[in-house]
Amino acid sequence: MKTRISLISFLLIFAVTGLFAQETTENYFFSVRVNANFDETTVRVKELLKENGFGVVTELDMDKKIEEKLEGVDLKPYKLLGVCNPRLAYEAMQAEENIGLFLPCKMIIKEIDETTTEVVSIDPSVMMKMLGNPDLIPIGDEVTEVLKKVIEGLGR
């Protein structure tokens, strides 16, 4: 009897986990390739973020950090930005006290070649839906709308 209950429990857990995994297959990011070099693109991303009420609160040159730690590695420029809108961050913190694990929102600026750069942004609405707190969904949607506006602004 115990074996049968354990098997049933295992199958239930497997089925629920599978369903959850299927729900999270939505793209968790959006991106654009820009016909500009890395430095120009970085400046433009920061300008567009500022114009849309966001600031850069963290900036990490991942390529340089990895090259410092791993001998013989030579990477193309790869910058990780942590971006934040104080009002929206505050609203999210009021809805979920541990939301700081997902803040600030992440963006990547990476060199494809000398004249092409890709900018990638997390899709906050997908992340907020995954947390299961309905109060976070409209906040995530608003942040997504703004970050998509920034990304679209780069494509012009």
Side-chain angles (χ1 to χ4, degrees):
M1 181 73 168
K2 244 184 181 178
T3 305
R4 180 177 250 175
I5 291 173
S6 295
L7 180 59
I8 291 170
S9 297
F10 173 77
L11 291 173
L12 275 172
I13 290 169
F14 183 76
V16 169
T17 305
L19 287 174
F20 181 73
Q22 289 175 357
E23 289 177 22
T24 60
T25 58
E26 186 175 354
N27 262 352
Y28 62 93
F29 68 92
F30 41 89
S31 64
V32 66
R33 285 201 174 189
V34 182
N35 291 322
N37 71 36
F38 181 81
D39 292 330
E40 292 168 344
T41 303
T42 300
V43 168
R44 186 68 182 133
V45 166
K46 291 177 181 179
E47 289 172 351
L48 287 168
L49 285 165
K50 188 174 182 179
E51 288 172 18
N52 287 281
F54 276 72
V56 175
V57 296
T58 60
E59 185 170 340
L60 181 60
D61 294 314
M62 287 295 291
D63 56 312
K64 292 176 183 163
K65 285 292 179 190
I66 291 172
E67 288 171 356
E68 283 176 16
K69 304 293 181 187
L70 298 176
E71 204 172 302
V73 173
D74 184 28
L75 297 171
K76 292 180 182 180
Y78 188 107
K79 188 177 293 285
L80 178 61
L81 299 178
V83 303
C84 187
N85 174 294
R87 176 185 61 82
L88 295 170
Y90 174 76
E91 287 179 24
M93 290 169 69
Q94 297 307 301
E96 173 63 52
E97 67 180 337
N98 293 324
I99 198 66
L101 293 168
F102 293 91
L103 300 177
C105 293
K106 306 297 185 289
M107 293 185 87
I108 300 168
I109 304 169
K110 56 185 177 177
E111 181 181 273
I112 302 303
D113 59 41
E114 291 178 5
T115 61
T116 309
T117 307
E118 184 175 25
V119 180
V120 183
S121 176
I122 192 165
D123 186 339
S125 63
V126 172
M127 295 301 165
M128 295 303 106
K129 288 174 189 166
M130 285 177 29
L131 295 176
N133 180 338
D135 294 337
L136 291 171
I137 293 172
I139 300 165
D141 290 345
E142 187 174 347
V143 175
T144 294
E145 185 179 311
V146 174
L147 294 180
K148 280 186 175 181
K149 187 176 177 183
V150 169
I151 293 284
E152 290 166 3
L154 292 166
R156 294 183 192 141

